[in-house]
Amino acid sequence: MRRIGCLLSGLLFILSVTSTDGFARAGRRVCAAAPQSRTAAYTESHVQPVYQPYLTTCQGHRLCSTYRTIYRVAYRRAYKQLPQPVASCCPGWSRANSHTLSCDRALCWVPCQNGGSCTFPGRCACPPGWTGRACQTDVDECAGQSHGCGQLCINTAGSYHCACRDGFSLTADDKVCQPLVPAPEPETFSQAGPPSEMKEEMKDLKSRVEALEQKLQLVLAPFHNLMPSAPEDVGADPISRLSHSLQQLDRIDSLSEQISFLEERLETCKC
């Protein structure tokens, strides 16, 4: 029991000589404590005099009115100043709120710009595309070779984009350029004239038309004079010759239509 009493006495002595300053200074980036005080309210008791009137007998057996003093215990609200050491943050740091002991919020004297955040006293962490102590300077991505553009690199505020020269377009990755594919044009003949195949076809059709005209002249020659002058011409069959001549005329008409069609195509050509 004696040893337990000694231990309790020692603990009480340690608690009496140890203040709460160490708890107030606990936390990161906390410097020396500044002596401060706070006002505390409490209730105290005091003796309050109370005067009571009463009647008594005066000289001549008369009634007199007088006062007597009694005392009672009363309570009142009082105030006193209590020392409260407050640990202050190191220069360049502050508390995120009044309930935390650590000073984890950095202070930047120049506000961070362009989406930057203050991560160290007087220094900002900048997003991609910006640099400087306050993220106020634009990074020229086109000055180096890391942009990856195939042809042209255009720098913008906080970023960049690729472009292509005339006759090229960007691919799906917005970096590589590819030649533009020309739109298909309607079939037209060149300045040199119609193709050689069409020329040969026209030449063949014209020769066939000329041959048919010669044959037609030979066939129609006997019909120039339907009434024969010589008796030996009577035995010829004019009906069969006429039918053959009509067939030749149909062929000529068909060839003429083909020639007209070719001539129309030649007129639409850009010669």
Side-chain angles (χ1 to χ4, degrees), residues 33 42 57 63 86-87 89 98 121 167 174 195 225 268:
Y42 66 98
T57 303
L63 292 176
V86 178
C89 296
S98 59
D174 292 334
N225 189 5
T268 58

Side-chain angles (χ1 to χ4, degrees), residues 20-31 33 85-89 95 99-104:
T20 59
D21 297 353
F23 296 99
R25 290 194 298 268
R28 298 179 57 192
R29 306 182 182 94
V30 177
C31 293
V86 178
S88 59
C89 296
R95 290 183 174 87
H99 304 289
T100 59
L101 297 178
S102 299
C103 301
D104 294 330

Side-chain angles (χ1 to χ4, degrees), residues 245-256:
S245 300
L246 293 175
Q247 292 179 1
Q248 297 297 328
L249 286 174
D250 291 339
R251 295 182 63 185
I252 291 174
D253 290 340
S254 177
L255 292 174
S256 299

Side-chain angles (χ1 to χ4, degrees), residues 6 24 30 45 69 110 118 124 159 172 180 186-188 226 238 258 265:
C6 293
V30 177
S45 61
T69 304
V110 179
C118 187
C124 300
S159 182
L180 289 174
E187 294 184 1
T188 56
L226 294 177
Q258 296 183 24
R265 292 184 62 185

Side-chain angles (χ1 to χ4, degrees), residues 107-127 130-138:
L107 298 177
C108 290
W109 297 273
V110 179
C112 299
Q113 306 174 20
N114 301 309
S117 58
C118 187
T119 57
F120 195 79
R123 187 180 304 170
C124 300
C126 303
W130 299 96
T131 185
R133 296 184 66 88
C135 305
Q136 76 282 1
T137 305
D138 173 55

